[in-house]
Amino acid sequence: GKYHPHGDSSIYESLVVMSQDFKKGEPLVDGHGNFGSIEGDGAAAMRYTEARLQKLTQEAFLTDLDKNVVDFIPNYDETEKEPEVLPVKVPNLLINGAEGIAVGMATSIPPHNTGEVIDAVLAYMKNSDITTEELLKIMPGPDFPTGGIVTNKDDLISIYETGQGKIKLRGKVEVEKIKGGRERLVITEIIGAGIGKFLNDVYALVESKKTNDIVDISNQSSKEGIRIVLELRRNTDVENLKNMLYKKTRLEDTFGVNMLAVSGGRPETLGLKSIIENFLDFQY
């Protein structure tokens, strides 16, 4: 309430997302209780849950906050002081990505693998003339918490150089043989955090008779991971069906990249190198 005038429900929704490992590559909050699931269930009301910071958040985001290492500014009603920015030791903008919309501008930065991001920053520190192409050998592209395969890898260099573009993503599909000469499709990675939406899209294809090849749909996902099984008729053209699923469901999707961030007090679309450079200037 002292730092945020918009009521507690928006704060709680943010806290929930920060604890969900299917939405954040590195969850920043350690939630205890029902914090929702990848199936699309919402979190319990705040009176039924508890939360604390993850170890990473304490060590990488808040260390030395009390030692006057960042500027403090007045809060919205000027009764308290709050840090203008947190003394983050790792570039969270790249690790957890960012999505948001403001006055006439929007940002959309994909998440990346923590280890790879840190290695890329170290490589830049050793050689500031490193090219985007060389950085992408260390950090080969986005790493979404629910998985997915990037199908347009050749476009990544220009996306990370300009900070804009479209990443095409596909879920992971494997074909398994079962007895009676039949086959089944097993989906182990989907795009985005919505198993329910994907299953509904598949049901719709079957009900509207757009495909007669699927005889059974079962969701065997558990804490171990995603597993959606589609049992197929004999002699199904598997490649044809896969293409249909890519086209008509969220098994294939596009992530629009627009790496807009505040640099030197102004919003600016930045490439990968510029983000790392800004981060290191801030650290310095």
Side-chain angles (χ1 to χ4, degrees):
K2 290 177 183 174
Y3 303 108
H4 181 82
H6 294 293
D8 51 18
S9 60
S10 55
I11 283 280
Y12 185 59
E13 278 163 36
S14 305
L15 177 119
V16 165
V17 170
M18 287 165 81
S19 74
Q20 291 174 328
D21 58 0
F22 51 90
K23 285 197 182 161
K24 293 281 175 202
E26 284 290 350
L28 303 177
V29 168
D30 181 9
H32 178 70
N34 172 15
F35 272 83
S37 75
I38 193 166
E39 309 266 347
D41 310 315
M46 64 180 92
R47 60 183 174 275
Y48 302 119
T49 58
E50 293 180 334
R52 61 183 178 184
L53 292 177
Q54 290 276 18
K55 201 170 176 191
L56 167 91
T57 322
Q58 295 174 42
E59 290 182 6
F61 283 66
L62 300 172
T63 309
D64 296 340
L65 188 60
D66 54 344
K67 292 184 185 156
N68 208 16
V69 289
V70 290
D71 293 336
F72 275 70
I73 54 171
N75 69 337
Y76 68 94
D77 62 358
E78 300 196 353
T79 54
E80 298 273 341
K81 289 266 202 239
E82 63 183 6
E84 188 172 25
V85 62
L86 293 176
V88 189
K89 290 181 179 176
V90 290
N92 185 53
L93 198 61
L94 290 171
I95 289 171
N96 273 324
E99 259 181 280
I101 190 160
V103 278
M105 54 190 140
T107 186
S108 178
I109 302 174
H112 299 83
N113 178 288
T114 311
E116 289 169 3
V117 169
I118 292 168
D119 289 344
V121 171
L122 292 174
Y124 182 90
M125 285 163 79
K126 285 175 187 155
N127 169 23
S128 60
D129 297 327
I130 192 168
T131 64
T132 305
E133 199 171 340
E134 288 167 330
L135 282 171
L136 286 179
K137 286 188 178 133
I138 300 163
M139 191 188 97
D143 187 3
F144 291 90
T146 51
I149 298 154
V150 175
T151 56
N152 61 333
K153 287 201 172 93
D154 298 345
D155 300 347
L156 288 178
I157 291 173
S158 79
I159 290 171
Y160 281 102
E161 256 178 356
T162 59
Q164 286 181 312
K166 284 184 175 162
I167 295 175
K168 288 197 178 107
L169 287 166
R170 273 185 176 179
K172 200 169 180 185
V173 186
E174 287 153 8
V175 182
E176 288 181 1
K177 292 206 172 353
I178 48 179
K179 43 182 196 231
R182 294 213 326 258
E183 291 177 315
R184 64 182 175 198
L185 289 181
V186 178
I187 294 138
T188 51
E189 290 178 7
I190 59 166
I191 311 303
I195 291 181
K197 171 86 177 83
F198 172 70
L199 288 171
N200 285 340
D201 289 346
V202 180
Y203 291 138
L205 287 178
V206 175
E207 277 169 11
S208 61
K209 302 232 176 332
K210 288 205 170 107
T211 177
N212 297 318
D213 294 329
I214 300 170
V215 291
D216 187 51
I217 305 166
S218 63
N219 178 13
Q220 301 172 4
S221 306
S222 64
K223 282 183 178 168
E224 273 64 68
I226 298 166
R227 184 179 163 86
I228 298 165
V229 180
L230 310 178
E231 296 210 5
L232 310 179
R233 268 182 216 291
R234 248 192 214 94
N235 307 325
T236 295
D237 181 342
V238 176
E239 281 310 306
N240 191 23
L241 180 63
K242 267 164 83 173
N243 288 332
M244 181 188 245
L245 291 173
Y246 288 138
K247 203 168 169 187
K248 305 274 189 194
T249 72
R250 287 282 301 274
L251 196 58
E252 182 176 77
D253 208 359
T254 305
F255 184 93
V257 176
N258 182 26
M259 303 211 280
L260 185 94
V262 177
S263 163
R266 296 173 65 95
E268 212 178 307
T269 303
L270 304 171
L272 174 63
K273 254 182 91 168
S274 306
I275 289 181
I276 293 176
E277 203 176 325
N278 272 285
F279 167 71
L280 288 169
D281 284 351
F282 159 69
Q283 287 288 321
Y284 186 68

